[in-house]
Amino acid sequence: MALSVLIIGAGVIGASLAGELAGRGVTVTVIDAAQAGSGTSAATFGWVNSNGKSPAAYSRLNLLGLQAHERAAGSAGGAPWFHQIGNVELARTDAELAAIEDKVARLSAETYEATLLTAAEIRRLEPSLNTSRLAGGALYPREGWIDAITMCTALLASAGHRGAAFRPFEKVERIDGDSVTTMSADGSVNRYEADLIVLAAGNGTRQILAGAGIDFPIVDTAAGGTRQMPSVGLISTSSPVRSGPRHVINAEGIAMRPARNGGITFTDLPTAGRWDPADPGIWTVPGTLLDRARELYPALDAMTQTVDLGLRVLPEDGLTISDWVTESVYAIATHSGVTLAAHLADVVATELLTGRRDDSLHDFGLARFANAR
Ligand SMILES: Cc1cc2nc3c(=O)[nH]c(=O)nc-3n(C[C@H](O)[C@H](O)[C@H](O)COP(=O)(O)OP(=O)(O)OC[C@H]3O[C@@H](n4cnc5c(N)ncnc54)[C@H](O)[C@@H]3O)c2cc1C
């Protein structure tokens, strides 16, 4: 009989793993408290990259993530959610340009594709950009962005065609050994059993495992974040535009990319805002980002259409967790999950089915946290 795996969470991580396992002949059931792609994956910038990440093992993991998306895009079914349009980083001062030059030299030495650009070269790549005040920049041609909601729904649909079951709007209340108890919005209770259970429940993981007496080392989102990264991030998307960025664009104070609605998606990440979601000041950020975008793209004829607050999934040291929690329960919790999803799905599927742990996961087990498990 085929192995049965129950996946809790239908974000980019759970949906990718469901697609991978169903493709390998596993009997898969996916449960989500809401719809597919409605957690952190619904409020992500979705930039696929390994651009300046540290430490080296995490940088490598992200590069493997990028390469796995490339492989998926080149496979028979394709990956139309992956827009590999390249990332252009802009420098408006000599100091910013010097920092970019250092980074490009470092990345090139690591064989990560990166090229310095003059303002004239940037103008050719980005015809609507006002390049008059640019000192230069760089192109990272293999980077891009992912439409995470399309990715989640498409991968779940393809898993469904291979026999996987999807149970939306069922909240996992308890894990007990190899059984899971859920409650639906109408109060009905269901019980599922499987050979293996995978937690891909993002910020819900900590609470589910607490119910089983396990202290799982991800940041309690109410606590604000880690030293390196705030837990709350703001993503805003404009109305459709006639002219705008052709690449992912990163500049001091703003990052933007084409959006799935024909507009532009912005993130506040470069402002390093440690936002308290209860602070009304947070709602001024989309207007500020649109003003900054107009400095770069003067013909921008857009208004803010949607604003989402995303809660980052943050292990306590900011890095990935991909490991067994008990003999039958495996957990994946990570920031940069959009970049990492396809690679993690591949190597975790192999680990679940064969017990063989991929080298790339060596530094991302639970053993690095005191008192975990
Ligand atoms: C502002 C922001 C910007 C980001 N930018 C990038 C970026 O540019 N590039 C990048 O690679 N990554 C980025 N990330 C990170 C990335 O979005 C996340 O790492 C990724 O979406 C996490 O996916 P996930 O599947 O683990 O979690 P989620 O998408 O949160 O999915 C977990 C699912 O589990 C379900 N769930 C939770 N609890 C339960 C329960 N008890 N029962 C049943 N279901 C449950 C939820 O409903 C949810 O659907 C960003 C994140 C944020 C917030």
Side-chain angles (χ1 to χ4, degrees), residues 8-14 31-35 38-41 43-47 170-172 200-202 204 208 233 235 310-313 334-339:
I8 304 171
V12 284
I13 299 292
I31 299 176
D32 199 292
Q35 314 179 56
S38 57
T40 301
S41 303
T44 180
F45 189 56
W47 171 26
E170 284 194 42
K171 184 171 185 223
V172 171
I208 294 170
I235 302 291
L311 290 181
R312 295 189 171 88
V313 181
T334 189
H335 183 58
S336 295
V338 176
T339 300

Side-chain angles (χ1 to χ4, degrees), residues 76-354:
W81 47 84
F82 179 33
H83 302 270
Q84 196 175 26
I85 55 177
N87 163 32
V88 173
E89 189 174 15
L90 307 176
R92 282 178 278 193
T93 64
D94 289 344
E96 284 172 20
L97 185 58
I100 290 176
E101 284 168 352
D102 279 356
K103 185 168 71 170
V104 167
R106 214 171 43 247
L107 289 174
S108 301
E110 293 162 8
T111 67
Y112 189 84
E113 279 182 52
T115 318
L116 287 171
L117 298 173
T118 62
E121 287 167 330
I122 294 172
R123 192 173 316 118
R124 279 197 286 281
L125 292 174
E126 285 289 322
S128 308
L129 180 70
N130 172 13
T131 50
S132 62
R133 285 172 44 212
L134 286 187
L139 171 69
Y140 309 92
R142 289 174 67 182
E143 298 177 6
W145 67 279
I146 274 184
D147 171 354
I149 295 177
T150 299
M151 178 177 169
C152 292
T153 48
L155 286 172
L156 276 181
S158 108
H161 288 132
R162 294 179 162 110
F166 179 41
R167 306 268 177 250
F169 300 106
E170 284 194 42
K171 184 171 185 223
V172 171
E173 298 286 332
R174 208 172 53 248
I175 295 184
D176 212 345
D178 56 7
S179 90
V180 161
T181 307
T182 68
M183 188 180 284
S184 302
D186 64 3
S188 57
V189 173
N190 282 314
R191 202 159 156 271
Y192 298 87
E193 284 187 358
D195 297 320
L196 299 174
I197 297 167
V198 179
L199 274 159
N203 283 308
T205 309
R206 189 186 171 98
Q207 194 185 355
I208 294 170
L209 286 172
I214 296 168
D215 185 14
F216 191 69
I218 60 171
V219 171
D220 180 355
T221 40
T226 66
R227 248 183 315 120
Q228 310 95 312
M229 184 75 81
S231 52
V232 177
L234 190 139
I235 302 291
S236 56
T237 294
S238 78
S239 52
V241 292
R242 278 191 289 267
S243 65
R246 293 183 173 180
H247 299 79
V248 178
I249 299 289
N250 274 278
E252 183 63 29
I254 189 163
M256 55 181 150
R257 59 157 172 85
R260 66 201 296 264
N261 69 342
I264 305 170
T265 289
F266 304 98
T267 177
D268 75 325
L269 185 59
T271 67
R274 190 170 280 271
W275 292 107
D276 171 356
D279 176 355
I282 196 168
W283 302 110
T284 63
V285 174
T288 303
L289 290 173
L290 213 43
D291 288 345
R292 288 180 186 164
R294 283 198 191 99
E295 284 171 23
L296 294 166
Y297 292 85
L300 209 60
D301 52 342
M303 55 196 285
T304 301
Q305 199 166 70
T306 60
V307 181
D308 293 295
L309 287 184
L311 290 181
R312 295 189 171 88
V313 181
L314 288 176
E316 282 172 359
D317 59 1
L319 305 176
T320 302
I321 297 173
S322 184
D323 202 358
W324 293 100
V325 181
T326 70
E327 268 180 16
S328 56
V329 178
Y330 194 99
I332 310 169
T334 189
H335 183 58
S336 295
V338 176
T339 300
L340 297 171
H343 174 67
L344 289 178
D346 178 23
V347 295
V348 170
T350 299
E351 188 169 0
L352 297 177
L353 296 182
T354 69

